[in-house]
Amino acid sequence: MLLGDTPISLAALGPGHSLIAPPLPDEVIISVVGRFHILSCNRTPTATFQELFHCAPFNLSAWIPPHLEMLAPRIGEDVEACTLEILRAHTLYPLLAIFNGLSFPEDSRRATPNKATNAPKRLSAEPIRLCLECLREDLATCGVRYIHRSHQIPGVEVCSRHASPLLYKCPHCECSFGRRSNLALTPWRRCTCKKYVFDSILPHHEVDPVALSYARFSATLLQSAPHSAVPTHVLVESYRDRARAIGCSWGNEKVSRVRIKSEMEKFYGKDFLRRTDVAYRDDRLSEWLKMLNDYSVTEPPLGRHLLFAHFLFRDAAQFLAAVGGTGGNEQSGSIEQPVVKRLAIAVGTTKASKPSIPQRIAGLLRELVVHARDIPDCSIEDLWKSHYGLMKRLVSLDLEAITLLRRKLQQVKHKPADPAKVPRRSEKDGERARSVMSTAAALYASAAKPEKVTINRLAKEAGWNASALNPHAFPATLRALEEYAESNWHFYARRVLWAKLMLKRAAISVIRARSGVEYHRCLVLMDFFQDVDLSISYGAETITRLLVERGIQRDWPGPCPKREFPPAGRRYYTKSPIYIAESD
């Protein structure tokens, strides 16, 4: 809670009070609005959103939320300057201005009501994270608890000041601190389980030194970022120069992306990279280091830029010196000593017909267990996400019910499918399976240029969608589709044989171009089929007969299954092993 329990209204602060709330160092915008909600005594968050932004609730936990220009008149007369001050002081705008080319429009006509900056549409939000040590320290030094902006930087897992792990959910009931399109009031009010989060005592955890170094680098960069955006060519050159300086180069001073990726995995560890970067977790690494290109330096997400900059420089001051920035976001101002007004809630009399609290708890537990049977490996956190209302009512009645629910979840058995809902085998299953066989036979026997026979192509030729087939209703049809679809090498063999028989003794380059098969694979198949009699007449089923004579089935893995061929297109691949010397 805020200091004191004496009710106070905003009118008591005098006519000169026009700020949303007195600013605090490193406070994120959702915390500013949350404190305003507490001080204004609005009954619902929707009323606060209407009062401040004149619109329905939206996601205030985004890196740069919309509608911030609506707050500018509460600070000063210059709307553009006040909006820019809000962006610099209470959002991650300073970091996005460095790494993602974000800029505030100089022309106020460009600052539309829904778009204060030219922020890219893919800007995402992070879960609200809190440091218990910061909450206690803020109350002692500033007189109020609040949510820190540096804790919301993507990838930050520990507090840069206290080296303590950050929380994103209640340690008692596992409810997330922030919900989409709602306010995060955990620093000032009880959680849904009626517990204060800041009173929790967490067990001691060993802090990863790399995670702590990353958190301190990011926090320092956020506080000391330059006011103006960093030119993209300056950022790229600083990356390249530093990469060369630490030995990640090859040839004529070219930057080695392979070596950078390998060294980053050694420095951070693969587990940390998976938690921090979605593309790395999903193994989408073909353009993972796009920040080294002049034309795409602003495209990678903020978290990856911070990972890359921290890996290269390790020190925020050194990085700012490299990009030509100096500290420019230092803030000064008075610190408030606010008090909160608690709303009086009328308590009515309980009707005799109303069930008792133990009965209500038992009913909620039964309902949640039923829902848990439909969720694989269901946990308390999964129930909060899928059945927030039921969980909120349960913990409001008794927090200890969470422990009982957790034991029940360990005993939950997933309910079998309802026999009435399991479709029976369709009467058309056999007919469709035979249709697949006849369609496949016609495709393989065609004298035209071979086309690859896939499951979707077979189903399309038969006149229906393969993905719409239920495995219980059409088992024979699905087996036929899988059986008559061909492998890539079987298709390559049909194409090469067709080209050889059509062009007879043409050059290999001409046959390869006519077949459309990749060069190296075509050479292997030309050698494999070198004894084919080219004098035979080409007609229907000629290719099928030649393949059967050589024992080639539809699932043929190729003449050399263990050989690795270069990928098609311009994607980079390693032609020889790269050995990286171990650094001291």
Side-chain angles (χ1 to χ4, degrees):
M1 298 296 290
L2 299 175
L3 280 182
D5 295 324
T6 307
I8 188 173
S9 64
L10 292 178
L13 298 176
H17 180 78
S18 58
L19 294 173
I20 315 162
L24 297 172
D26 193 38
E27 185 177 21
V28 73
I29 188 64
I30 194 172
S31 177
V32 178
V33 177
R35 289 196 297 121
F36 177 87
H37 175 74
I38 297 292
L39 288 169
S40 63
C41 302
N42 286 330
R43 290 187 176 274
T44 63
T46 301
T48 298
F49 276 96
Q50 288 290 346
E51 181 177 353
L52 292 179
F53 304 102
H54 308 292
C55 65
F58 55 90
N59 189 17
L60 265 176
S61 62
W63 292 344
I64 296 186
H67 309 296
L68 293 185
E69 60 278 357
M70 303 299 294
L71 305 177
R74 294 176 173 269
I75 299 177
E77 296 181 357
D78 192 337
V79 175
E80 184 174 339
C82 293
T83 303
L84 182 58
E85 182 59 29
I86 294 173
L87 289 171
R88 288 174 177 166
H90 301 298
T91 70
L92 298 186
Y93 172 82
L95 295 179
L96 293 165
I98 295 177
F99 296 110
N100 295 92
L102 209 61
S103 61
F104 186 75
E106 297 180 359
D107 186 357
S108 60
R109 291 174 296 179
R110 293 176 57 193
T112 62
N114 296 324
K115 185 179 178 183
T117 63
N118 58 337
K121 294 181 180 180
R122 57 183 174 81
L123 284 184
S124 59
E126 295 285 315
I128 298 298
R129 294 186 284 263
L130 299 175
C131 169
L132 298 183
E133 296 296 330
C134 283
L135 292 178
R136 300 183 184 109
E137 184 178 291
D138 294 338
L139 180 63
T141 57
C142 302
V144 60
R145 302 181 183 91
Y146 60 95
I147 305 174
H148 284 253
R149 180 177 55 153
S150 58
H151 296 162
Q152 318 311 317
I153 299 174
V156 172
E157 299 177 346
V158 297
C159 177
S160 58
R161 186 187 307 174
H162 302 101
S164 57
L166 300 178
L167 300 179
Y168 69 93
K169 60 183 179 180
C170 175
H172 304 289
C173 66
E174 301 185 24
C175 178
S176 299
F177 295 144
R179 299 185 65 209
R180 189 174 182 85
S181 301
N182 206 341
L183 298 178
L185 304 177
T186 306
W188 312 284
R189 289 183 175 175
R190 299 176 191 267
C191 183
T192 52
C193 61
K194 299 182 180 179
K195 296 282 188 179
Y196 288 116
V197 172
F198 48 77
D199 288 338
S200 306
I201 299 178
L202 300 180
H204 176 72
H205 291 283
E206 291 294 333
V207 178
D208 183 4
V210 176
L212 179 59
S213 174
Y214 173 79
R216 289 175 174 169
F217 175 87
S218 304
T220 305
L221 206 59
L222 179 62
Q223 296 297 331
S224 305
H227 283 313
S228 58
V230 175
T232 56
H233 69 278
V234 174
L235 182 61
V236 174
E237 285 304 319
S238 64
Y239 281 159
R240 293 173 179 171
D241 292 343
R242 184 59 183 170
R244 298 187 191 102
I246 63 175
C248 293
S249 61
W250 65 280
N252 187 19
E253 293 298 314
K254 296 181 180 179
V255 177
S256 174
R257 289 168 169 79
V258 176
R259 184 163 300 177
I260 288 177
K261 175 180 174 292
S262 175
E263 294 298 326
M264 286 182 69
E265 290 176 338
K266 292 179 182 178
F267 177 69
Y268 287 113
K270 293 184 178 181
D271 290 339
F272 183 82
L273 290 175
R274 291 191 188 100
R275 294 195 306 269
T276 307
D277 191 273
V278 177
Y280 186 89
R281 182 171 65 244
D282 297 340
D283 198 27
R284 294 184 282 109
L285 304 177
S286 60
E287 297 183 348
W288 197 55
L289 297 176
K290 295 176 68 174
M291 65 280 291
L292 290 170
N293 301 327
D294 294 302
Y295 60 88
S296 60
V297 62
T298 60
E299 294 181 10
L302 175 60
R304 195 181 309 162
H305 267 291
L306 287 170
L307 284 172
F308 191 58
H310 174 244
F311 163 73
L312 292 178
F313 293 90
R314 314 290 167 89
D315 181 67
Q318 185 180 4
F319 171 75
L320 289 173
V323 298
T326 57
N329 268 0
E330 299 176 359
Q331 302 172 11
S332 62
S334 58
I335 302 300
E336 62 163 342
Q337 296 288 336
V339 291
V340 66
K341 175 180 178 180
R342 294 182 177 177
L343 292 175
I345 302 177
V347 181
T349 58
T350 305
K351 296 182 180 179
S353 61
K354 187 175 182 179
S356 63
I357 290 180
Q359 292 175 336
R360 294 166 62 189
I361 292 175
L364 289 170
L365 286 173
R366 285 195 300 269
E367 191 171 354
L368 286 168
V369 169
V370 170
H371 290 306
R373 297 177 66 186
D374 297 329
I375 304 175
D377 300 324
C378 183
S379 64
I380 299 294
E381 190 172 352
D382 293 330
L383 288 176
W384 274 111
K385 292 179 180 178
S386 58
H387 299 88
Y388 179 84
L390 293 176
M391 291 294 294
K392 182 178 179 180
R393 285 153 55 193
L394 179 66
V395 298
S396 64
L397 292 174
D398 184 10
L399 177 60
E400 296 301 324
I402 289 291
T403 305
L404 180 58
L405 177 60
R406 188 177 287 110
R407 289 201 298 265
K408 288 181 177 294
L409 291 180
Q410 296 174 356
Q411 304 171 0
V412 165
K413 295 181 180 179
H414 296 290
K415 60 182 180 182
D418 187 357
K421 296 182 179 179
V422 176
R424 300 177 181 178
R425 180 174 177 178
S426 173
E427 298 177 353
K428 298 182 179 180
D429 184 31
E431 178 185 348
R432 291 194 174 185
R434 291 189 294 271
S435 175
V436 168
M437 297 177 190
S438 60
T439 300
L443 290 175
Y444 287 125
S446 174
K449 183 178 181 180
E451 298 291 340
K452 187 175 181 181
V453 180
T454 63
I455 292 178
N456 287 333
R457 183 176 180 84
L458 285 172
K460 185 178 180 180
E461 292 288 338
W464 22 266
N465 186 1
S467 61
L469 295 177
N470 189 289
H472 299 283
F474 298 94
T477 305
L478 292 175
R479 285 196 301 269
L481 287 173
E482 295 177 357
E483 179 182 353
Y484 283 87
E486 64 179 337
S487 66
N488 287 334
W489 277 100
H490 188 271
F491 167 62
Y492 298 154
R494 292 200 300 130
R495 272 288 182 90
V496 170
L497 283 175
W498 171 80
K500 283 176 66 69
L501 294 173
M502 293 294 292
L503 301 176
K504 303 300 181 181
R505 303 189 183 279
I508 294 179
S509 60
V510 177
I511 294 177
R512 190 214 66 80
R514 188 72 179 270
S515 68
V517 179
E518 188 267 334
Y519 174 75
H520 298 87
R521 295 175 175 84
C522 185
L523 290 182
V524 172
L525 290 173
M526 289 289 291
D527 182 67
F528 185 78
F529 293 119
Q530 61 181 346
D531 59 340
V532 172
D533 185 8
L534 301 179
S535 61
I536 61 175
S537 59
Y538 176 73
E541 299 186 358
T542 301
I543 295 178
T544 303
R545 178 173 52 80
L546 292 174
L547 293 178
V548 171
E549 290 175 356
R550 286 163 175 75
I552 297 177
Q553 303 296 326
R554 284 184 291 270
D555 58 350
W556 188 46
C560 42
K562 296 184 178 180
R563 177 177 171 180
E564 294 185 1
F565 289 85
R570 300 177 60 187
R571 195 180 77 182
Y572 176 81
Y573 67 97
T574 305
K575 299 180 180 63
S576 60
I578 295 179
Y579 301 96
I580 301 176
E582 297 290 339
S583 58
D584 295 335

